[in-house]
Amino acid sequence: MRYTYKKERRDPQIQSYITTQGKKWRIKFSITARNQKKFIEKNGFRSFDEARAAKQDLLNQVSTNFNNKNITVYAYFNQYCQEKIDNGSWRYTTYKQSTYMFEKNVFPTWGEFKLKDVTRLDYQSWITKYAKTKRYSKNYMRLLNGLVAGVFTDAVLNDVISKSPIQKIKVSGSPSRDTSITRSEFNTVFNFIKDSERLTLQQRTMALLTLIGLRHEEIMGIRVKYVKQNMLGIFETINIHGQVSTPKTSSSNRWVPMPPIIEEHLQRCIQQSKLVYASNNLIMSKNDLIFVNHLAKQVRYSELSTIFKIISHETNIHVWPHKMRHAFSTIAFGIPGLNPKDIANILGHSKIDMSLYYNNGTKEGQTDAMEKIISLF
């Protein structure tokens, strides 16, 4: 019988499924030992905790079968990721991004190497050539090198190797995407979003929300209960995998003052979405998402990127959601008299820099900042 498996957010290598006897769990993962990649799968656990305990036992069994000093880069990377998940250091999205980045870039060359056999000279030569061959940006290569360095640093701390070869590595790469935008370009984009018939009400509203600095996943997670008068609450996110979570940091949980145009559009969206819910024999509640498709299900995560492809094509200005967050910050910090901490609070940043660490800002200041920014639209 074929089952539908659902990954556990607490541990993506453990999945639940429904049988005729009720809910069950299974473990499914791979590990490399003695240069051989082993796939491990076991079904029929009665609880998540039982599955997790069995998984740890299997990992311990594998670990005892070969000397830790001879562990491969890929095998240790898997252990490193699992520990990050178990201790709460990583969210599921971080795990997915990290494993994808490692398996795509690092594994083909270094995966089967023993940790102790990786030399700084060879790694430096590889990462320099790799950046040129792939034409990756310098920022991307920094992320990649940082991921690898984290694995080796962890191995040093656990006495698997005596010294990390990934130290003081020089990272090269092509320039990153230009996130700057002129006031003229910003006005052109804003006017298109506001007035163009190419965008639906929902698309226009989602695009407008990027102009006040909201992150992609924050926009996807807006529910009716978070819209109150002229304030918008950011307390949930929906990531690219469709998982509901809390914002990335505690400071990202916040109330954001809304300009009238966004408040108006959100209220109209709520009324429109009520009709969508009703057409699907549902009653929209305060806990429901505002941005939904014709089936009253959350819109695809890629919808916002699709909207900005339309905007870019029609205005001939290359923009994307996160670029508008940069634009908001640039414009806001360019307005004399605004409290920088108020701007940081709107964006959901914990601090501007260490010199402003103790400047807490005020709710009134955030509203004043938003009013002054709105006047420029």
Side-chain angles (χ1 to χ4, degrees):
M1 180 176 179
R2 295 177 63 88
Y3 296 113
T4 299
Y5 297 97
K6 182 179 180 181
K7 290 183 178 179
E8 288 280 354
R9 288 176 58 191
R10 295 168 288 179
D11 186 338
Q13 294 176 338
I14 297 177
Q15 302 159 357
S16 62
Y17 58 100
I18 304 298
T19 72
T20 55
Q21 298 176 330
K23 191 173 183 179
K24 300 288 185 179
W25 281 260
R26 75 167 179 177
I27 53 176
K28 184 178 182 181
F29 63 95
S30 63
I31 188 169
T32 301
R34 293 178 177 173
N35 295 328
Q36 291 186 344
K37 191 173 183 179
K38 297 183 178 180
F39 292 92
I40 298 173
E41 180 177 347
K42 194 170 183 180
N43 302 321
F45 297 102
R46 293 168 294 180
S47 69
F48 171 81
D49 289 336
E50 184 181 1
R52 182 160 59 179
K55 175 190 167 183
Q56 191 57 53
D57 288 341
L58 286 168
L59 284 173
N60 292 337
Q61 290 174 22
V62 172
S63 297
T64 57
N65 288 335
F66 67 102
N67 191 331
N68 227 16
K69 299 294 181 180
N70 291 322
I71 192 170
T72 65
V73 173
Y74 187 67
Y76 195 85
F77 174 76
N78 278 335
Q79 293 181 21
Y80 173 78
C81 290
Q82 187 57 50
E83 177 59 27
K84 290 288 188 181
I85 287 287
D86 289 344
N87 65 28
S89 298
W90 280 2
R91 300 201 302 179
Y92 181 69
T93 49
T94 306
Y95 166 80
K96 290 293 289 185
Q97 291 165 358
S98 298
T99 52
Y100 174 78
M101 184 179 288
F102 184 93
E103 291 175 357
K104 177 184 177 183
N105 301 293
V106 181
F107 177 75
T109 301
W110 298 103
E112 299 302 334
F113 266 71
K114 295 176 183 177
L115 280 177
K116 66 179 184 179
D117 292 340
V118 178
T119 68
R120 185 183 184 282
L121 183 63
D122 288 341
Y123 179 81
Q124 177 68 79
S125 176
W126 170 79
I127 200 168
T128 300
K129 292 177 181 177
Y130 194 72
K132 290 181 180 179
T133 302
K134 295 294 185 178
R135 297 182 180 178
Y136 284 150
S137 71
K138 192 169 185 178
N139 278 349
Y140 184 85
M141 294 307 298
R142 281 173 177 163
L143 287 173
L144 180 61
N145 183 65
L147 176 62
V148 177
V151 173
F152 277 87
T153 299
D154 190 78
V156 172
L157 293 174
N158 289 322
D159 294 324
V160 177
I161 53 177
S162 59
K163 183 179 179 181
S164 171
I166 319 300
Q167 297 185 57
K168 297 183 179 179
I169 294 295
K170 295 179 181 178
V171 178
S172 58
S174 60
S176 301
R177 288 196 297 181
D178 184 11
T179 57
S180 64
I181 187 170
T182 66
R183 277 301 303 276
S184 175
E185 290 174 332
F186 180 85
N187 289 338
T188 299
V189 170
F190 171 69
N191 288 329
F192 176 82
I193 294 172
K194 180 170 60 75
D195 301 324
S196 176
E197 294 181 357
R198 283 293 312 277
L199 301 178
T200 65
L201 171 63
Q202 180 168 271
Q203 289 176 327
R204 182 177 295 111
T205 305
M206 292 175 70
L208 283 171
L209 287 167
T210 68
L211 303 189
I212 59 171
L214 267 60
R215 300 179 177 95
H216 193 146
E217 63 270 21
E218 292 173 345
I219 294 172
M220 305 303 292
I222 296 176
R223 300 183 187 275
V224 177
K225 63 183 177 182
Y226 298 135
V227 180
K228 295 186 177 179
Q229 296 180 343
N230 66 335
M231 302 294 287
L232 177 62
I234 306 300
F235 300 104
E236 285 186 56
T237 62
I238 297 180
N239 63 32
I240 193 171
H241 307 288
Q243 293 179 312
V244 178
S245 184
T246 55
K248 58 190 301 184
T249 63
S250 58
S251 58
S252 295
N253 289 283
R254 64 201 188 278
W255 285 99
V256 177
M258 285 190 294
I261 185 173
I262 291 181
E263 183 180 4
E264 176 192 347
H265 275 72
L266 270 175
Q267 291 296 347
R268 289 173 59 195
C269 259
I270 291 173
Q271 296 306 315
Q272 186 180 77
S273 295
K274 281 183 179 178
L275 298 176
V276 174
Y277 277 92
S279 68
N280 286 277
N281 298 317
L282 299 169
I283 298 176
M284 188 180 190
S285 74
K286 64 180 182 179
N287 293 316
D288 285 320
L289 293 170
I290 295 176
F291 301 125
V292 293
N293 60 22
H294 67 286
L295 297 175
K297 304 293 185 181
Q298 68 181 58
V299 295
R300 292 173 300 129
Y301 189 88
S302 60
E303 174 66 10
L304 190 55
S305 298
T306 300
I307 294 167
F308 272 87
K309 286 180 182 178
I310 296 172
I311 297 170
S312 297
H313 181 265
E314 294 294 325
T315 62
N316 202 30
I317 301 170
H318 185 38
V319 286
W320 58 95
H322 199 69
K323 183 170 184 175
M324 304 318 295
R325 184 170 162 84
H326 280 268
F328 173 87
S329 179
T330 301
I331 293 172
F333 278 108
I335 300 174
L338 294 188
N339 185 335
K341 188 59 180 177
D342 290 325
I343 299 169
N345 287 341
I346 290 172
L347 291 167
H349 290 151
S350 60
K351 56 187 177 181
I352 309 153
D353 52 35
M354 289 304 296
S355 66
L356 294 174
Y357 183 76
Y358 292 103
N359 186 343
N360 294 321
T362 62
K363 291 292 183 183
E364 294 79 5
Q366 290 183 49
T367 301
D368 181 57
M370 185 61 77
E371 288 175 353
K372 290 182 179 179
I373 294 165
I374 296 162
S375 68
L376 298 176
F377 285 178

